[in-house]
């Protein structure tokens, strides 16, 4: 195995985290839920002829077809460090063209209810990820506008109402000062919080790739509402169908 940091032109595959040794196994489009078991569920219930391509660290990945079109689905894990590793390897070493993250978020806005679906236009973060990765000082990273517009069209065709806007990609789930979210929301115009999009969008930007993120609201920091796992599954299905139809 070659070092993934190597400057050689040949691809360092398999990578330390994905055990696929050739191109063509992973599709151009990868759907990325945070939970690898969610990836397994999508593959087994929605894809035709799914074949598992990764089990390293149990970060399950599958390729199959949806309505005849080749597509992959793979877990990202939680947080920017984790999605950063997987998205970089998929984009840079496996020639993946677009990643659509499908995840959950906590609502910062009173206008968002649990189970609502949110298409992320941009992610603000306090994280040093972009600075450390690419010496980029921006604290906002953008989803790919054309891909987002296509996703919005698909949602409209399916009759699924979506919200659009900026979210907070947080470095921390458990904050000492819970109320800090109000300042972040008001100063940075964030509708909701999750922990991955900023890093995904940063890699898409520096590697010339496409990225989008569709989120289901799983809890509200404003109202204290939480979801049951059964209803979460139903709401998740709406989001996933948008992503699959898109692909
Ligand atoms: N914080 C961070 N990420 C999340 C949350 C949250 O409250 N809910 C769902 N993803």
């Amino acid at each position: 195995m070659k070092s993934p940091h190597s400057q050689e032109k040949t691809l360092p595959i398999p990578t330390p985290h994905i055990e696929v040794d050739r191109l063509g196994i992973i599709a151009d489009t990868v759907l990325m839920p945070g939970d690898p078991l969610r990836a397994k569920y999508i593959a087994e219930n929605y894809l035709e002829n799914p074949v598992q391509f990764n089990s390293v660290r149990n970060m399950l990945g599958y390729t199959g077809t949806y309505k005849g079109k080749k597509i992959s689905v793979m877990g990202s894990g939680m947080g920017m460090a984790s999605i950063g590793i997987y998205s970089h390897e998929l984009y840079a070493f496996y020639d993946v063209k677009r990643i659509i993250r499908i995840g959950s978020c906590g609502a910062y806005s009173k206008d968002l209810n649990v189970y609502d679906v949110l298409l992320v236009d941009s992610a603000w973060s306090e994280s040093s990820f972009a600075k450390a990765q690419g010496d980029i000082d921006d604290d906002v990273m953008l989803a790919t506008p054309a891909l987002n517009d296509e996703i919005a069209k698909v949602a409209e065709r399916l009759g699924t109402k979506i919200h659009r806007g900026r979210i907070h990609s947080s470095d921390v789930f458990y904050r000492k000062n819970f109320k800090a979210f109000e300042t972040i929301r008001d100063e940075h115009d964030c509708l909701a919080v999750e922990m991955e999009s900023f890093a995904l969008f940063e890699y898409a930007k520096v590697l010339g790739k496409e990225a989008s993120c569709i989120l289901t609201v799983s809890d509200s920091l404003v109202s204290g509402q939480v979801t049951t796992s059964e209803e979460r599954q139903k709401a998740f299905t709406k989001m996933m169908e948008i992503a699959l139809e898109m692909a």
Side-chain angles (χ1 to χ4, degrees), residues 115-135:
Y115 310 120
D116 280 0
V117 177
L118 175 59
L119 176 60
V120 177
D121 282 321
S122 59
W124 174 84
S125 188
E126 71 278 63
S127 164
S128 59
F129 189 95
K131 180 73 184 160
Q133 195 288 320
D135 205 17

Side-chain angles (χ1 to χ4, degrees), residues 104-106 170 172-173 193-195 218-219 221:
S104 64
C105 63
S170 181
V172 178
F173 190 93
V193 59
E194 50 85 93
M195 304 184 74
S218 61
D219 54 277
L221 284 84

Side-chain angles (χ1 to χ4, degrees), residues 26-39:
I26 304 176
D28 286 351
T29 301
V30 179
L31 305 189
M32 283 205 117
D35 180 355
L37 290 179
R38 192 69 85 166

Side-chain angles (χ1 to χ4, degrees), residues 1-193:
M1 189 188 288
K2 296 189 187 72
S3 162
H5 305 289
S6 129
Q7 298 300 305
E8 289 175 50
K9 284 286 174 243
T10 47
L11 295 172
I13 58 176
T15 68
H17 311 97
I18 302 175
E19 60 196 324
V20 174
D21 63 1
R22 62 206 151 92
L23 299 183
I25 303 290
I26 304 176
D28 286 351
T29 301
V30 179
L31 305 189
M32 283 205 117
D35 180 355
L37 290 179
R38 192 69 85 166
K40 181 175 171 27
Y41 177 88
I42 296 169
E44 288 176 351
N45 292 281
Y46 288 87
L47 301 189
E48 297 115 30
N49 309 313
V51 176
Q52 188 180 326
F53 64 73
N54 197 54
S55 63
V56 178
R57 288 176 183 251
N58 277 330
M59 199 55 80
L60 305 174
Y62 302 80
T63 298
T65 58
Y66 182 76
K67 297 190 175 172
K69 206 151 175 258
K70 186 171 167 183
I71 184 164
S72 295
V73 52
M74 181 176 173
S76 71
M78 291 184 284
M80 287 181 254
S82 186
I83 198 169
I85 289 169
Y86 294 108
S87 60
H88 183 268
E89 292 183 4
L90 290 170
Y91 282 144
F93 307 138
Y94 292 102
D95 225 8
V96 165
K97 297 196 169 30
R98 68 192 65 81
I99 294 176
I100 304 175
R101 165 168 150 70
I102 44 179
S104 64
C105 63
Y108 276 2
S109 161
K110 63 175 173 29
D111 299 329
L112 283 180
N113 290 309
V114 290
Y115 310 120
D116 280 0
V117 177
L118 175 59
L119 176 60
V120 177
D121 282 321
S122 59
W124 174 84
S125 188
E126 71 278 63
S127 164
S128 59
F129 189 95
K131 180 73 184 160
Q133 195 288 320
D135 205 17
I136 297 171
D137 281 322
D138 302 346
D139 58 4
V140 171
M141 290 291 143
L142 306 181
T144 305
L147 185 57
N148 268 13
D149 289 346
E150 283 182 62
I151 291 171
K153 270 191 225 148
V154 170
E156 196 180 332
R157 178 158 59 76
L158 295 176
T160 303
K161 179 178 156 34
I162 52 165
H163 299 260
R164 282 182 81 154
R166 175 166 300 170
I167 52 130
H168 173 204
S169 282
S170 181
D171 259 342
V172 178
F173 190 93
Y174 298 107
R175 266 172 210 274
K176 179 175 161 193
N177 176 12
F178 172 78
K179 285 283 182 188
F181 88 85
E182 294 176 346
T183 313
I184 294 170
R185 172 191 65 198
D186 298 343
E187 287 184 359
H188 302 287
D189 209 16
C190 298
L191 296 173
V193 59

Side-chain angles (χ1 to χ4, degrees), residues 224-236:
Q225 272 183 303
V226 288
T227 51
T228 66
S229 58
E230 192 187 317
E231 286 173 305
R232 237 186 349 252
Q233 182 66 46
K234 255 193 275 165
F236 189 83

